[in-house]
Amino acid sequence: MSIRPWRDITRRQSRQIMVGNVPVGGDAPVTVQTMTNTPTDDVKATIAQIRRCEDAGVDIIRVSCPDVESTAALRQIVRASRVPIVADIHFHYKRALEAADAGAACLRINPGNIGSSARVKEVVNAAKANGCAIRIGVNGGSLEKDLLEKYGEPCPDALVESALDHIKLLQDHDFHEFKVAVKASDLFLAVAAYQQLAEVVDCPLHLGITEAGGFVGGTVKSAIGMGSLLWYGIGDTIRVSLSAEPEEEVRVGFEILKALGIRNRGVRVVSCPSCARQGFDVIRTVQALEERLQHIRTPMSLSVLGCVVNGPGEARETDIGLTGGGNGKHMVYLSGVTDHTVSSDDMLEHIVQLVEAKAAEIEAHDEAQAVAAE
């Protein structure tokens, strides 16, 4: 038992598959995905967007392949990407064959939409020949007509039955390198469907609250829905679906994982909402620090509190702490210990420098340990 059992998450045991060189499921870290929104046949724009997502820390990126022009461009995109590419295929099975041949690490399909069993077999054979995984993507907004007639509306039973039907189509062709999503824009529906599916399959689960909304509303819905599932150990890879740029989806995804202690990347900021006691403009300072520190990948913590009421207590729990004081002088804490003061004018630049130095120190220590272990 850990020293803080209330923080423990017991993860659902799933089998592991590979999406390119990234393991998904099993004991692999929960991965963060997003999807490009540029026309896929605009290779330059798509690669530029992928670069921004890579800088934000994305593990896997999906691109839409609705036509021949898109799959023709995919080969160049795959070569340029540093992370595995998932090809999003909806109806035409030939796009899946082309995408597999172009080097896609995974095909996102609904086998039931591909057509006859012979066509599904062609797609499976192409996936096997090219080392592709497959993601079965069930969506509450596009359920099969027979299931809607059977259940009357999208419901957890309908989503799970759809997923199981699609799984059987792949298993009938002896294909097992797949993961499954049962997404819905209704977070209650999505959470219930994932909980139900997790009880009856052992494959990795791809989490998402689809069409979640704009940046603020979609972030809240995604955090509640996916956060609930992850808290209970369900989920092996996630995509936050926002009406926002893909790199923002990546950042939100990591924030959800960081909040649950599942995966840490970059600076975790602890900050107060600000009030009349604040010794500096907390809101603008935190906004500036989050922007300036996006390049930090090393996990570490920073507390930014406007006054001495909670500031010292929070600073004791973080790598670097800043607490507002009087007369434009603020206290800086290092590793939880009071260290020195900084003026308002120099505060922002000073904290950035401290964080960068701490990140370098942590990286050097980790590298030394790795060398010693060899």
Side-chain angles (χ1 to χ4, degrees):
M1 182 179 291
S2 70
I3 61 172
R4 296 182 180 90
W6 61 89
R7 291 183 180 176
D8 292 347
I9 292 175
T10 303
R11 190 168 169 191
R12 163 186 171 267
Q13 290 299 303
S14 66
R15 56 188 172 80
Q16 189 175 101
I17 68 169
M18 295 299 293
V19 177
N21 62 354
V22 174
V24 175
D27 59 357
V30 176
T31 51
V32 176
Q33 303 194 27
T34 188
M35 185 174 183
T36 58
N37 57 32
T38 53
T40 304
D41 58 357
D42 186 341
V43 173
K44 184 176 180 181
T46 301
I47 291 174
Q49 193 169 71
I50 288 172
R51 285 285 177 270
R52 293 193 292 274
C53 294
E54 289 170 342
D55 290 342
V58 76
D59 298 299
I60 299 168
I61 293 184
R62 181 158 45 115
V63 302
S64 184
C65 292
D67 48 40
V68 175
E69 291 76 17
S70 297
T71 52
L74 192 62
R75 192 177 302 275
Q76 189 174 346
I77 292 168
V78 167
R79 283 200 303 265
S81 177
R82 303 184 191 114
V83 298
I85 296 295
V86 178
D88 194 71
I89 312 295
H90 280 276
F91 298 110
H92 209 300
Y93 81 105
K94 285 189 176 180
R95 302 293 83 78
L97 306 181
E98 294 159 0
D101 289 340
C106 181
L107 306 174
R108 185 275 188 194
I109 62 171
N110 276 356
N113 291 342
I114 292 297
S116 65
S117 177
R119 288 184 175 180
V120 173
K121 185 176 182 179
E122 277 194 71
V123 172
V124 166
N125 288 343
K128 287 181 178 180
N130 291 280
C132 287
I134 287 177
R135 172 161 82 87
I136 295 170
V138 175
N139 192 305
S142 56
L143 278 171
E144 296 90 331
K145 289 182 179 179
D146 63 317
L147 291 176
L148 287 175
E149 290 174 1
K150 177 179 178 179
Y151 291 100
E153 64 175 1
C155 64
D157 286 345
L159 266 67
V160 171
E161 185 171 333
S162 177
L164 295 177
D165 288 345
H166 292 314
I167 287 171
K168 186 175 185 304
L169 288 174
L170 296 184
Q171 290 177 330
D172 285 348
H173 295 290
D174 195 28
F175 190 86
H176 308 282
E177 295 298 301
F178 60 82
K179 50 195 172 86
V180 182
V182 281
K183 296 185 178 183
S185 57
D186 178 337
L187 70 88
F188 296 98
L189 172 56
V191 168
Y194 276 111
Q195 289 174 327
Q196 189 171 320
L197 184 64
E199 294 291 327
V200 294
V201 298
D202 69 347
C203 61
L205 297 182
H206 170 118
L207 300 189
I209 306 299
T210 194
E211 291 102 32
F215 184 77
V216 175
T219 294
V220 172
K221 282 180 67 176
S222 298
I224 294 171
M226 289 192 287
S228 299
L229 291 165
L230 290 163
W231 196 344
Y232 285 98
I234 297 171
D236 303 287
T237 185
I238 67 173
R239 189 261 172 120
V240 179
S241 299
L242 303 176
S243 299
E245 293 304 320
E247 55 266 38
E248 296 300 329
E249 294 186 348
V250 177
R251 293 186 184 110
V252 172
F254 272 105
E255 288 299 325
I256 292 172
L257 297 180
K258 283 160 65 175
L260 291 166
I262 291 173
R263 190 170 170 195
N264 292 310
R265 180 191 187 277
V267 182
R268 177 176 62 86
V269 178
V270 177
S271 61
C272 66
S274 83
C275 70
R277 294 191 304 267
Q278 64 184 356
F280 58 88
D281 188 337
V282 173
I283 294 173
R284 251 58 64 181
T285 299
V286 170
Q287 288 174 343
L289 285 170
E290 288 182 334
E291 181 67 28
R292 291 283 302 275
L293 298 175
Q294 284 183 11
H295 66 291
I296 302 293
R297 299 190 177 199
T298 306
M300 58 184 299
S301 53
L302 168 67
S303 57
V304 182
L305 282 292
C307 76
V308 296
V309 174
N310 294 318
E314 294 292 352
R316 281 196 297 269
E317 304 297 324
T318 54
D319 295 304
I320 296 171
L322 174 68
T323 296
N327 301 318
K329 290 286 186 180
H330 315 295
M331 185 57 66
V332 176
Y333 302 77
L334 301 180
S335 300
V337 178
T338 305
D339 195 85
H340 59 276
T341 61
V342 64
S343 68
S344 295
D345 292 341
D346 301 328
M347 181 178 62
L348 180 61
E349 205 63 43
H350 184 65
I351 296 299
V352 170
Q353 291 173 3
L354 287 175
V355 170
E356 290 176 337
K358 184 65 177 180
E361 177 189 326
I362 294 171
E363 289 169 10
H365 178 265
D366 291 347
E367 187 175 332
Q369 282 196 321
V371 171
E374 293 174 357

